């Protein structure tokens, strides 16, 4: 993946190191594996950014803090949907990171409703999120994860454009 990303001209590759329900059952192994994955990415000239994702056994922020303590100059990608799933959107704005924006309509840890919605259609307080981004001087990338393809394969440009317009209105 790192070689392909480099060939495509990408500068960053997102790594969901803590992937879903079983992810943090063996968190020490996941954290240890980061070093070899990061070395591969660096050889390809790619920044490997660890994404916060849902965890079953522990606190994703604690896992990310452990990674941050263990690895110098580690990069992170922040996924607002995953933060909301664990109920800690407001706890994550103490330093600059790369940001992923999506929404969710679920109470914290409600596995049955873990699906992406377009920004503004769920429970995340994006007024707060974007105010915090501005307050820390964040001026880098924002990525939209948006399923905008209908079952017949047609691209739903209207839905995609509404999401982009919403984000643009917040910036």
């Amino acid at each position: 993946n790192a070689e392909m990303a480099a060939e495509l001209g990408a500068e960053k590759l997102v790594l969901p190191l803590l992937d879903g329900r079983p992810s943090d059952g063996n968190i020490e192994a996941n954290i240890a594996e980061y070093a070899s994955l990061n070395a591969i990415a660096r050889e390809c000239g790619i920044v490997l950014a660890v994404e916060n994702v849902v965890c079953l056994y522990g606190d994703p922020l604690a896992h990310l803090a452990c990674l941050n303590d263990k690895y110098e100059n580690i990069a992170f990608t922040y996924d607002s949907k995953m933060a909301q799933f664990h109920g800690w959107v407001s706890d994550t704005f103490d330093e600059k990171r790369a940001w992923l924006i999506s929404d969710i309509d679920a109470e914290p840890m409600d596995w049955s409703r873990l699906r992406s919605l377009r920004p503004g259609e769920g429970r995340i307080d994006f007024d707060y999120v974007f105010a915090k981004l501005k307050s820390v001087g964040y001026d880098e990338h924002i990525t939209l994860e948006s399923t905008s393809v209908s079952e017949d394969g047609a691209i739903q440009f209207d839905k995609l454009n509404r999401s982009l317009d919403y984000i643009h209105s917040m910036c």
Side-chain angles (χ1 to χ4, degrees):
N1 287 344
E3 290 172 358
M4 184 186 325
E7 286 182 33
L8 292 171
E11 298 174 2
K12 192 176 292 179
L13 192 60
V14 175
L15 174 65
L17 188 64
L18 316 170
D19 190 20
R21 289 184 191 217
S23 69
D24 61 337
N26 191 11
I27 191 63
E28 294 81 15
N30 295 28
I31 290 172
E33 190 61 30
Y34 169 80
S36 62
L37 297 172
N38 190 45
I40 293 167
R42 290 177 68 119
E43 282 179 23
C44 296
I46 301 288
V47 172
L48 189 61
V50 177
E51 178 182 21
N52 61 299
V53 297
V54 296
C55 295
L56 180 61
Y57 304 102
D59 175 10
L61 273 181
H63 298 326
L64 295 179
C66 181
L67 281 158
N68 192 53
D69 290 345
K70 185 171 178 123
Y71 298 105
E72 188 174 333
N73 298 320
I74 188 170
F76 295 99
T77 294
Y78 174 79
D79 188 319
S80 57
K81 177 183 79 174
M82 301 304 179
Q84 179 66 24
F85 182 77
H86 281 281
W88 47 257
V89 168
S90 63
D91 298 334
T92 57
F93 293 101
D94 57 358
E95 61 186 78
K96 289 185 178 183
R97 295 185 174 106
W99 306 93
L100 277 167
I101 304 295
S102 60
D103 209 338
I104 186 172
D105 184 24
E107 294 295 325
M109 301 301 290
D110 181 359
W111 291 93
S112 68
R113 298 184 59 112
L114 180 59
R115 58 183 168 74
S116 291
L117 298 175
R118 285 166 187 69
E121 294 179 354
R123 296 180 183 214
I124 296 174
D125 181 355
F126 280 109
D127 289 331
Y128 172 82
V129 170
F130 281 96
K132 288 305 252 180
L133 288 173
K134 288 175 185 174
S135 76
V136 298
Y138 185 79
D139 63 355
E140 298 208 19
H141 299 92
I142 295 174
T143 303
L144 171 66
E145 286 186 86
S146 178
T147 303
S148 296
V149 178
S150 63
E151 289 187 24
D152 67 0
I155 298 172
Q156 299 168 322
F157 288 107
D158 58 324
K159 290 182 180 183
L160 183 57
N161 285 330
R162 276 197 312 271
S163 296
L164 293 171
D165 288 345
Y166 180 84
I167 291 170
H168 187 261
S169 74
M170 293 290 194
C171 293

